[in-house]
């Protein structure tokens, strides 16, 4: 396992980390004991960073991770969690106000609940689950989080940029107001490389890259009948509804042909593409089994990404927001 600086925090985190959304059950049925076994296997393979949120299964993901940490007697595991805004703006709203999204009483209440579910006295990284650019000047959220840091409830603070809006985080990264920014970054969503990552590099901000496999499509194992295998109320069925699945499948087939001379699977190319950005501190794929852990951590070997493939992938960027 390769380790990277987590921005200016002084932490060394595994470049392959553990995304915990699927542990909450919103991607399909889960077995908590099996989830804990998978987490322990990831830890034993050198994964030392876990990302979750109170939103994931209404706290269930946090509870499972808390149980896993209680049973773990190895090296330090950094745990990041999030609080959603008290009211989400419409996905189509370009510049929603920040004031009132994270009132102090609400954030404090959620911190206490997360502490209890995770079974810890201090949260390593506490993130706002939705970042809105007006937060640069509407700073009530920052005052609350800094107070919680002084009280020892949280250690570092971060934000999660709204899906497929990397430009929303550029000014925040430039000012360095938070320790880390989480953003969608994959072979379809390439825009963080343009302005966001360079801005964060100048201020020493850490970056968490989420959705490296585009919610499953870039693993490369989908076929025409895959959609029908998903439960109707599952996240992937909702994300890729209507014509979205067919269009995504067409584009991933094109990518398979492009990466074939370099990598044996699209999944390997997808993960190595994200790791090719030196500004990325860690990548958080979702993993359900020890086998999936092994399939991901093997890519953490320091191998460079082919420059000619990186250039060729530029024309395959596909910014879109399936979360709306």
């Amino acid at each position: 396992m390769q380790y990277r600086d987590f921005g200016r925090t002084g932490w060394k985190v595994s470049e392959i980390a553990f995304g915990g959304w699927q542990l909450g059950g919103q991607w399909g049925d889960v077995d908590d004991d099996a989830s804990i076994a998978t987490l322990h296997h990831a830890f034993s393979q050198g994964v030392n960073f876990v990302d979750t949120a109170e939103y994931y299964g209404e706290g269930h993901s946090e509870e499972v991770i808390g149980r896993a940490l209680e049973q773990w007697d190895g090296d330090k595991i950094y745990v990041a969690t999030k609080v959603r805004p008290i009211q989400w703006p419409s996905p189509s709203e370009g510049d929603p106000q920040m004031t009132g999204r994270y009132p102090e009483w609400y954030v404090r209440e959620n911190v206490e609940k997360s502490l209890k579910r995770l079974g810890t006295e201090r949260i390593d990284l506490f993130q706002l689950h939705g970042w809105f650019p007006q937060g640069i000047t509407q700073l009530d959220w920052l005052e609350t989080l800094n107070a919680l840091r002084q009280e020892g409830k949280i250690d570092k603070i971060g934000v999660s940029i709204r899906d497929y809006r990397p430009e929303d985080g550029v000014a925040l990264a430039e000012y360095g107001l938070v320790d880390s920014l989480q953003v969608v970054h994959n072979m379809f969503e390439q825009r963080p490389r343009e302005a966001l990552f360079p801005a964060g590099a100048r201020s020493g901000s850490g970056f968490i890259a989420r959705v490296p496999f585009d919610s499953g499509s870039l693993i490369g194992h989908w076929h025409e009948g895959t959609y029908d295998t998903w439960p109707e109320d599952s996240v992937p069925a909702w994300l890729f509804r209507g014509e979205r699945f067919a269009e995504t499948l067409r584009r991933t087939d094109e990518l398979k042909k492009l990466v074939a001379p370099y990598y044996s699977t699209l999944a390997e190319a997808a993960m190595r593409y994200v790791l090719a950005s030196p500004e990325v501190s860690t990548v958080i794929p979702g993993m359900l089994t020890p086998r999936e852990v092994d399939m991901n951590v093997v890519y953490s070997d320091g191998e460079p990404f082919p420059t000619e493939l990186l250039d060729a992938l530029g024309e395959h960027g596909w910014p879109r927001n399936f979360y709306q």
Side-chain angles (χ1 to χ4, degrees):
M1 177 67 72
Q2 303 289 307
Y3 295 84
R4 300 188 179 192
D5 291 329
F6 194 70
R8 58 182 179 271
T9 64
W11 298 355
K12 289 286 187 180
V13 297
S14 54
E15 63 180 14
I16 306 293
F18 198 105
W21 191 357
Q22 76 285 358
L23 303 182
Q26 290 152 306
W27 289 80
D29 293 337
V30 288
D31 179 297
D32 292 347
D33 291 334
S35 295
I36 291 170
T38 299
L39 283 161
H40 286 166
H41 182 73
F43 300 161
S44 72
Q45 298 304 304
V47 171
N48 73 347
F49 188 95
V50 180
D51 177 83
T52 184
E54 49 84 23
Y55 170 73
Y56 301 162
E58 300 298 324
H60 189 68
S61 175
E62 288 181 323
E63 291 173 347
V64 171
I65 291 168
R67 287 176 56 193
L69 293 173
E70 183 181 20
Q71 299 170 23
W72 176 248
D73 59 1
D75 293 337
K76 164 72 178 178
I77 306 297
Y78 295 98
V79 179
T81 192
K82 315 179 196 74
V83 58
R84 75 188 102 173
I86 197 166
Q87 182 178 19
W88 289 99
S90 167
S92 61
E93 189 174 351
D95 190 24
Q97 72 172 30
M98 185 71 160
T99 299
R101 301 285 178 187
Y102 298 98
E104 181 176 6
W105 67 266
Y106 172 76
V107 172
R108 286 184 173 277
E109 180 179 285
N110 274 272
V111 165
E112 294 298 335
K113 289 179 178 178
S114 290
L115 285 168
K116 182 177 181 179
R117 287 190 289 259
L118 291 167
T120 185
E121 294 182 354
R122 184 174 67 174
I123 296 168
D124 295 313
L125 175 67
F126 193 72
Q127 306 161 96
L128 304 184
H129 209 156
W131 166 252
F132 315 110
Q134 290 190 27
I136 288 292
T137 55
Q138 299 170 358
L139 295 170
D140 54 321
W141 63 276
L142 186 58
E143 293 174 1
T144 299
L145 294 181
N146 278 333
L148 286 163
R149 292 179 75 171
Q150 292 176 334
E151 296 165 20
K153 300 287 187 178
I154 62 178
D155 188 359
K156 310 301 182 185
I157 61 176
V159 305
S160 182
I161 300 172
R162 278 202 294 173
D163 298 299
Y164 303 100
R165 293 178 181 268
E167 67 279 2
D168 283 1
V170 173
L172 181 65
E174 287 179 341
Y175 293 138
L177 293 182
V178 296
D179 298 297
S180 68
L181 297 90
Q182 185 174 144
V183 66
V184 173
H185 182 43
N186 55 51
M187 288 196 293
F188 286 143
E189 180 49 275
Q190 303 178 17
R191 293 175 298 168
R193 297 172 58 93
E194 298 171 4
L196 181 63
F197 288 167
R202 291 190 291 270
S203 66
S205 301
F207 285 104
I208 302 169
R210 71 177 184 273
V211 202
F213 296 124
D214 189 52
S215 299
S217 78
L218 292 174
I219 294 175
H221 63 342
W222 287 4
H223 52 78
E224 291 183 356
T226 296
Y227 188 90
D228 294 331
T229 67
W230 295 331
E232 291 184 6
D233 60 348
S234 67
V235 172
W238 176 70
L239 288 178
F240 296 97
R241 62 195 183 276
E243 298 299 319
R244 296 174 173 183
F245 180 82
E247 176 65 12
T248 305
L249 187 61
R250 183 186 69 79
R251 290 176 180 266
T252 55
D253 285 344
E254 291 180 354
L255 286 173
K256 285 181 184 180
K257 296 174 185 176
L258 178 62
V259 307
Y262 304 91
Y263 298 109
S264 60
T265 66
L266 181 59
E268 179 175 5
M271 182 61 76
R272 292 189 183 278
Y273 170 82
V274 180
L275 292 174
S277 294
E279 301 89 352
V280 170
S281 300
T282 190
V283 187
I284 51 171
M287 299 176 281
L288 279 171
T289 67
R291 181 173 178 271
E292 290 181 0
V293 171
D294 293 340
M295 290 171 62
N296 282 297
V297 300
V298 72
Y299 305 137
S300 177
D301 57 11
E303 287 295 318
F305 195 83
T307 302
E308 63 273 18
L309 178 56
L310 189 64
D311 292 340
L313 283 168
E315 65 182 61
H316 290 269
W318 184 31
R320 85 282 192 219
N321 190 353
F322 278 2
Y323 286 82
Q324 62 183 3

